[in-house]
Amino acid sequence: MTLSVVPCHVREQWDSAVNSQQGHPMQLWGWGETKAAHNWSVDRVFVKDAAGALVGSAQILLRKLPFPFRSLAYLARGPQAAAGREIEVLDAVAQHVKTVHRSVALSIEPDWDVAALPTAGLPSAGWQRSDSTILIPRTLILDLNRSEDELLAAMSKKTRQYIRKSGREELAYRAVTAAELPQCLAVYKETARRANFGIHADGYYLDIFNNLGGGSPVYAAFDGGTVVSFLWLAASNATAFELYGGMTDAGSNLRANFSLKWLAIQEMKARGITRYDFNGLLNDGVSKFKFGFADHEDMLAGTWDKGLSPLYPVFAKALPLARKAVRKARGLLKR
């Protein structure tokens, strides 16, 4: 059946469609607005059947590239699609990108399990695995349909102990107001210096908070009026996704991040959200902390590219080298 691709320019219509198909928060309008303010452009499209019924949707992010590559198109945890029609929707979106934007490739990191049928159908539809990953596919996703007792039972004994211990400290755990965001960002900068990772300028995070509104809750542990730990999420109607977090030395000593994460999980469950994604697992201390909250891990589909230009093989070879050069340059600047 032939599918048509129709642009969407109305926020309410867009977010309603994304949520109706259990979409990811990175497919919400506010996330696209934030990326559009920071070196990307955005194209939001509905995919409809011959009768005009919604089959899928995709928020396409576009990054301008040097001549002759034009641009790279990217779907962050998209598209949304009717069950069994995921590959059809992707094909329609890829053709739209090729015709309208003439991008060198469409890169996707769908919110699908690696063992799901749509993932298995990607190679035969012309998609190639890519090592140029942005969102880590190995993660941990809690099923918030489970009761709180069931969620606690799946945690490690030590995690439950630290939740109880930090809950007895004289700390207040609650949502952060806009006026308190600078405190969280100061803690984030401190955390980044300690762990040696790069972060954006403050304006980027403030744009996320403002553009997503209620879809970007931030929770913090307060010692008096001082933030000692914070956790920043993005949330659609179906999925909560951890974005950023950090804590001070005092927060670490008080184990504030344990009760804080449990509060965030409880709050998302109270909203009726059914999936809580910890946003990536590595072999580091942060991942060890995350592992304490569940008895399993998840593997998503990963990164896949569809070349849309004869120049794609050149681009695919050049991109890893360019990223390596950028990382090296950043390391020199830090030194």
Side-chain angles (χ1 to χ4, degrees):
M1 182 181 295
T2 302
L3 300 179
S4 60
V5 176
V6 182
C8 176
H9 303 293
V10 180
R11 178 173 187 150
E12 292 75 15
Q13 292 178 0
W14 180 258
D15 284 347
S16 176
V18 170
N19 283 318
S20 73
Q21 294 190 306
Q22 308 297 295
H24 193 275
M26 285 187 169
Q27 285 287 299
L28 292 175
W29 186 280
W31 186 262
E33 288 299 281
T34 299
K35 302 307 287 187
H38 296 272
N39 301 316
W40 295 81
S41 57
V42 61
D43 183 13
R44 303 175 182 92
V45 296
F46 291 144
V47 181
K48 299 185 176 184
D49 64 17
L54 183 70
V55 179
S57 57
Q59 178 163 259
I60 307 159
L61 300 178
L62 297 134
R63 191 66 176 261
K64 188 176 180 180
L65 298 175
F67 181 84
F69 299 119
R70 294 185 178 272
S71 65
L72 173 68
Y74 172 56
L75 297 187
R77 293 291 183 256
Q80 292 67 239
R85 306 195 70 176
E86 294 88 351
I87 301 300
E88 283 182 82
V89 168
L90 273 179
D91 285 345
V93 172
Q95 185 58 48
H96 169 80
V97 169
K98 181 178 181 179
T99 303
V100 175
H101 301 291
R102 301 173 66 187
S103 301
V104 67
L106 173 59
S107 184
I108 63 169
E109 291 179 326
D111 198 19
W112 305 337
D113 190 88
V114 69
L117 285 175
T119 307
L122 288 170
S124 61
W127 295 85
Q128 304 176 43
R129 280 196 175 275
S130 171
D131 293 328
S132 297
T133 298
I134 297 175
L135 300 171
I136 301 169
R138 181 183 175 222
T139 188
L140 195 162
I141 301 174
L142 296 182
D143 177 4
L144 298 190
N145 287 309
R146 304 174 78 184
S147 69
E148 289 190 7
D149 286 343
E150 289 172 323
L151 291 169
L152 285 165
M155 297 179 192
S156 70
K157 182 179 179 181
K158 182 177 288 187
T159 295
R160 290 195 298 271
Q161 288 174 342
Y162 282 146
I163 289 173
R164 290 194 293 270
K165 179 180 182 299
S166 57
R168 291 193 295 268
E169 300 289 348
E170 292 185 0
L171 297 174
Y173 297 92
R174 60 172 174 80
V176 168
T177 66
E180 293 164 334
L181 275 182
Q183 276 202 69
C184 295
L185 293 176
V187 172
Y188 197 40
K189 291 170 188 173
E190 178 184 335
T191 304
R193 285 192 296 268
R194 190 168 59 237
N196 194 33
F197 62 83
I199 61 175
H200 296 280
D202 288 0
Y204 180 81
Y205 305 106
L206 296 175
D207 282 347
I208 291 174
F209 187 81
N210 292 326
N211 288 328
L212 279 171
S216 182
V218 184
Y219 301 100
F222 291 84
D223 184 0
T226 303
V227 172
V228 296
S229 182
F230 80 95
L231 182 59
W232 195 320
L233 309 177
S236 62
N237 284 5
T239 297
F241 185 73
E242 292 187 351
L243 292 175
Y244 317 108
M247 60 183 169
T248 64
D249 288 337
S252 178
N253 292 333
L254 294 168
R255 309 289 184 181
N257 52 336
F258 286 87
S259 282
L260 184 60
K261 192 177 290 288
W262 179 230
L263 170 69
I265 292 168
Q266 290 175 302
E267 290 288 321
M268 296 299 98
K269 180 175 172 58
R271 284 193 183 195
I273 290 170
T274 56
R275 300 169 74 245
Y276 185 101
D277 189 336
F278 283 62
N279 183 12
L281 295 172
L282 299 169
N283 297 313
D284 62 357
V286 174
S287 296
K288 184 177 179 181
F289 164 66
K290 292 178 181 181
F291 271 126
F293 283 82
D295 53 5
H296 71 283
E297 64 178 76
D298 299 88
M299 183 64 76
L300 298 180
T303 310
W304 295 79
D305 287 355
K306 174 169 272 194
L308 304 177
S309 160
L311 295 171
Y312 172 72
V314 178
F315 169 79
K317 185 176 180 179
L319 183 59
L321 296 174
R323 286 188 169 173
K324 184 177 180 180
V326 169
R327 287 194 295 269
K328 184 177 180 179
R330 286 174 177 168
L332 290 171
L333 286 171
K334 286 180 181 178
R335 288 197 291 271

